[in-house]
Amino acid sequence: MVEVDSFTKIYSSNKLKDKHSKGFLAVDSVSFTARPGLVTGLLGPNGAGKTTILKAICGLHYPSSGAVRVMGKDVESFPVEVRGMVGYVSEQPALIASFTAGDFLNYAGKLRFASKSFTDETVGQAVERVVEECDLKAVFHRSIGQLSKGYRQRLSFAQALLHNPPVLVLDEPVSGLDPAQIRQMRDMIKRLGRERTILLSTHLMQEVEALCQIVHIISGGRLVASGSAQEIVTSTGARNFEDAFLKLTC
């Protein structure tokens, strides 16, 4: 479970060097919960504050006020523990093109388990599990530079799952994929979301409608709507979810 409780983030401006400046308010008192077994959507236009919230959930920075908790652990009080409970998939995976898929997963596994006592067998078992989960057997020995966008994204999912985290944060996971790859990715997200808490950020309205049971819409750093896609359409009097989104954010 992820709990965002009156989360506020203010970035100070070092460039201004003005002691009276209050800084830039990126997120203003946002609260929502993402529960296990559900795919929760976090939507908003560029600059709305989505990335700021996602970074806090991943333990990469802390609230200026309010709190973020992952599996009951406060991010600011237990950052190392929280990072060990979250897997992150980005729009542009940070992969090493010269590595094979298998070499990359073994390398990522050794990094992931470096703070714990581990053996090559531990890493090997984790790699075998994620290769099966993400259907990577066919490309295990292929160079990452030769992989399609779809397989590279599967590899990004695999590295995020090595430590078997209860929470997955997905930032535009289907961006740039063709229709067949998008369908495959949807199926994988649905499967992974049966037992995990999944938080999905995307600009694609059809992905929200296909995957998300609960949606939270952010605009100007504030939460402007929450509910199922249909509930949000009904509450705004819009014709469809895309129109509802535009009504709330434009």
Side-chain angles (χ1 to χ4, degrees), residues 22-160:
K22 295 181 180 179
F24 171 67
L25 179 62
V27 179
D28 185 7
S29 195
V30 166
S31 298
F32 65 84
T33 300
R35 300 183 181 280
L38 300 176
V39 178
T40 299
L42 184 64
L43 278 68
N46 290 335
K50 302 186 304 296
T51 298
T52 297
I53 295 170
L54 296 180
K55 284 183 176 180
I57 293 169
C58 292
L60 299 179
H61 62 196
Y62 311 128
S64 301
S65 65
V68 176
R69 291 179 289 273
V70 175
M71 305 302 289
K73 294 280 188 181
D74 181 82
V75 168
E76 190 166 6
S77 301
F78 302 97
V80 175
E81 290 89 338
V82 166
R83 290 170 198 151
M85 294 187 288
V86 177
Y88 175 69
V89 178
S90 65
E91 179 180 0
Q92 298 295 333
L95 306 175
I96 303 172
S98 60
F99 279 27
T100 66
D103 287 341
F104 175 78
L105 288 175
N106 277 288
Y107 171 73
K110 289 176 181 179
L111 289 178
R112 170 58 71 180
F113 296 114
S115 61
K116 305 174 182 178
S117 65
F118 73 95
T119 64
D120 288 343
E121 183 180 6
T122 303
V123 174
Q125 289 172 346
V127 169
E128 286 181 13
R129 174 175 50 78
V130 299
V131 166
E132 183 70 30
E133 278 188 292
C134 300
D135 194 17
L136 289 167
K137 286 183 180 180
V139 299
F140 189 77
H141 297 292
R142 287 180 59 186
S143 167
I144 292 173
Q146 297 176 340
L147 298 183
S148 67
K149 169 75 173 176
Y151 270 120
R152 290 199 301 272
Q153 200 66 343
R154 284 177 179 273
L155 188 57
S156 183
F157 268 83
Q159 64 78 27

Side-chain angles (χ1 to χ4, degrees), residues 10-25:
I10 300 172
Y11 292 108
S12 60
S13 176
N14 294 325
K15 292 181 179 180
L16 293 177
K17 295 182 180 180
D18 180 358
K19 65 181 180 180
H20 299 297
S21 173
K22 295 181 180 179
F24 171 67
L25 179 62

Side-chain angles (χ1 to χ4, degrees), residues 168-201:
L168 273 180
V169 173
L170 312 179
D171 192 1
E172 299 287 350
V174 301
S175 176
L177 301 186
D178 65 34
Q181 292 169 335
I182 288 175
R183 176 172 289 185
Q184 292 167 354
M185 196 61 65
R186 281 180 187 169
D187 291 343
M188 186 167 70
I189 292 170
K190 288 177 181 177
R191 187 176 70 252
L192 293 171
R194 289 172 188 161
E195 297 179 355
R196 293 179 173 89
T197 298
I198 292 188
L199 191 62
L200 170 68
S201 176

